[in-house]
Amino acid sequence: MKFTFDRDALLKEIAIAQEIITNKSPLSILSNIYLRAENNALVIKASDSSLNFTTRIPVDVVEDGDTTIFCDKFMSILSAVPDGEIEFDKEDIKVTIKPRAKKIRFQLKSIASDKFPDIVPAVDAPFFEIPAKEFKEMIMQTIFAVSEDAQRFFMTGVYFTKDGDNLTMVATDGRRLSYISKPIAQSIADFPAAIVPTKILNCVLKHASDEGNIFVALVDKIIFIKFGSYEFSSLLLDGQFPNYQKVIPEKQAYLFQVNKIDLEAALKRTTIMIDKKVSRLLFKISADTLTLVSPESDIGTASEEIPCQYDGEDITIALNYMYVLDPLKVIDAETIAIEFTEAMKAITLRPEPQKDYFHIIMPMNLN
């Protein structure tokens, strides 16, 4: 097996492969990437046993062949050598890597390619297209709200379903819920609702362009996602996703509006004094004024007033400030609306004017 390649072109692809790999032991086949050179192309595969990645780039193939090599060291080598053409030459179990313009030589031991896990190709899978920008927005509006509790594994992914002509994504950790539903499924055939692991969704966010379409297929508890020259596949999460519709208030009695930049800045200042293990911040709402107050502690306290639009009765609501900051990072609007009914009932945080997404937050005890 022998081929030459451009260092920068391959470095980008190996960096993605390294993100997939979680096992860093050089003795494990899952620490290796699979390489196959043929027809002046190099096929690259990586797997962590649940998430798989495949791509193909053009190279100059001198001798066909395949192998697997330790991804971490290969990445380090590519990062260290100068730009330009590099020669990859495999004989027996030894791989020699040599930049053509420099007297540099690396040797890596390889593991036979038949030890690498079989990655099921998406042959004849029922792919449907989603505009890349829309799909990425759906992920951004939900992914941060998944649970980190391994005991509730069915809540550690994003629920993905088709609801009539809408595609819907929902995420919850039991104390908050993020929801988005877009009317972009008119030409998409029905598919079973799925709980999608965040790792594959993060790959989409990081590496998919905002232009063009993303291709998605769900087959036998596997999700396939393709864009550009990349193909990802992942096992779906088992389990029954919570009945999220029961959490969404049908109607809220009150509403106040606040400038997003004002709210973000005030949150960052007042939470300086908060014990991060508690994360409770008081929202004191009165006519035309929102006051953020950090509960008094041994360290001290902080408060800040910002203008808001509100004409109801005075009320104080305690919220986990991170549950407010997280959606603010992805809401694309100048004005934020917060709807509520009582101090201890779920609040709704959304953009104003209303869009196709919102965030539900359960309040904390006031004391």
Side-chain angles (χ1 to χ4, degrees):
M1 177 184 184
K2 186 174 182 179
F3 62 91
T4 58
F5 61 90
D6 176 73
R7 177 256 192 188
D8 288 347
L10 187 56
L11 181 62
K12 177 185 173 186
E13 313 304 318
I14 302 304
I16 299 174
Q18 191 176 42
E19 294 171 17
I20 304 300
I21 294 169
T22 55
N23 192 324
K24 301 301 181 183
S25 168
L27 301 178
S28 169
I29 190 66
L30 290 179
S31 299
N32 283 27
I33 50 169
Y34 171 89
L35 303 174
R36 184 177 77 245
E38 62 181 5
N39 300 325
N40 280 334
L42 180 69
V43 174
I44 304 163
K45 297 182 181 182
S47 176
D48 71 356
S49 77
S50 294
L51 174 61
N52 304 312
F53 166 66
T54 303
T55 190
R56 176 191 300 263
I57 65 168
V59 297
D60 293 323
V61 177
V62 178
E63 183 180 342
D64 292 358
D66 61 1
T67 191
T68 78
I69 58 172
F70 186 31
C71 183
D72 189 63
K73 290 301 179 187
F74 189 40
M75 179 71 184
S76 296
I77 291 168
L78 293 180
S79 300
V81 298
D83 297 347
E85 282 204 337
I86 298 175
E87 185 178 283
F88 183 106
D89 189 0
K90 173 186 171 289
E91 290 187 10
D92 296 325
I93 65 168
K94 289 186 178 180
V95 171
T96 302
I97 301 163
K98 297 187 301 182
R100 284 190 163 180
K102 298 286 184 179
K103 292 183 179 181
I104 306 171
R105 178 189 181 96
F106 294 92
Q107 278 197 331
L108 281 175
K109 290 184 178 179
S110 63
I111 300 177
S113 57
D114 60 5
K115 306 291 185 183
F116 196 79
D118 185 30
I119 295 179
V120 179
V123 178
D124 298 326
F127 279 98
F128 54 87
E129 298 180 44
I130 307 175
K133 188 174 182 180
E134 304 271 18
F135 192 50
K136 289 177 69 176
E137 183 187 12
M138 293 181 74
I139 297 170
M140 282 192 296
Q141 290 295 337
T142 53
I143 195 168
F144 59 84
V146 303
S147 174
E148 296 181 355
D149 184 357
Q151 299 296 319
R152 299 190 291 179
F153 59 91
F154 52 89
M155 291 166 64
T156 62
V158 176
Y159 186 71
F160 182 42
T161 188
K162 179 176 181 286
D163 183 14
D165 288 341
N166 284 30
L167 286 181
T168 300
M169 281 189 177
V170 185
T172 182
D173 64 4
R175 299 298 303 172
R176 60 175 167 178
L177 180 146
S178 292
Y179 173 98
I180 184 167
S181 188
K182 286 186 171 290
I184 54 175
Q186 294 88 343
S187 60
I188 296 175
D190 290 346
F191 59 84
I195 307 174
V196 185
T198 57
K199 192 170 179 180
I200 189 170
L201 297 177
N202 274 317
C203 289
V204 175
L205 278 183
K206 188 170 182 180
H207 301 294
S209 165
D210 286 346
E211 305 299 323
N213 292 328
I214 291 174
F215 299 82
V216 180
L218 295 105
V219 183
D220 297 331
K221 296 185 179 181
I222 298 175
I223 184 169
F224 296 91
I225 299 178
K226 298 194 302 184
F227 52 89
S229 62
Y230 303 145
E231 181 175 308
F232 296 88
S233 62
S234 175
L235 295 175
L236 297 170
L237 296 176
D238 286 328
Q240 183 67 42
F241 196 77
N243 185 352
Y244 65 88
Q245 292 172 334
K246 285 187 175 181
V247 180
I248 301 172
E250 291 184 10
K251 186 178 180 181
Q252 300 277 34
Y254 305 101
L255 173 149
F256 70 89
Q257 298 179 21
V258 63
N259 179 273
K260 177 188 170 183
I261 293 175
D262 288 349
L263 180 57
E264 282 184 307
L267 280 167
K268 289 175 182 177
R269 284 189 285 267
T270 53
T271 55
I272 290 172
M273 303 302 291
I274 289 182
D275 183 343
K276 300 304 185 284
K277 293 180 182 178
V278 177
S279 302
R280 186 172 73 249
L281 184 69
L282 302 181
F283 286 65
K284 295 187 173 184
I285 309 138
S286 58
D288 299 326
T289 302
L290 170 63
T291 305
L292 304 184
V293 181
S294 66
E296 190 167 349
S297 68
D298 293 339
I299 301 171
T301 185
S303 67
E304 181 168 345
E305 292 184 2
I306 56 175
C308 74
Q309 295 181 30
Y310 176 69
D311 59 4
E313 296 181 358
D314 292 3
I315 188 171
T316 299
I317 303 173
L319 297 172
N320 182 322
Y321 75 88
M322 287 304 303
Y323 289 0
V324 179
L325 269 178
D326 285 342
L328 287 182
K329 293 174 184 176
V330 295
I331 290 178
D332 183 20
E334 291 184 4
T335 303
I336 301 297
I338 296 181
E339 301 174 342
F340 62 94
T341 297
E342 297 176 15
M344 291 307 297
K345 288 190 175 180
I347 73 154
T348 303
L349 190 154
R350 62 169 177 81
E352 178 62 38
Q354 194 162 353
K355 297 187 180 181
D356 49 20
Y357 58 84
F358 56 79
H359 305 275
I360 305 296
I361 304 171
M362 294 302 299
M364 303 174 75
N365 291 326
L366 287 169
N367 299 318

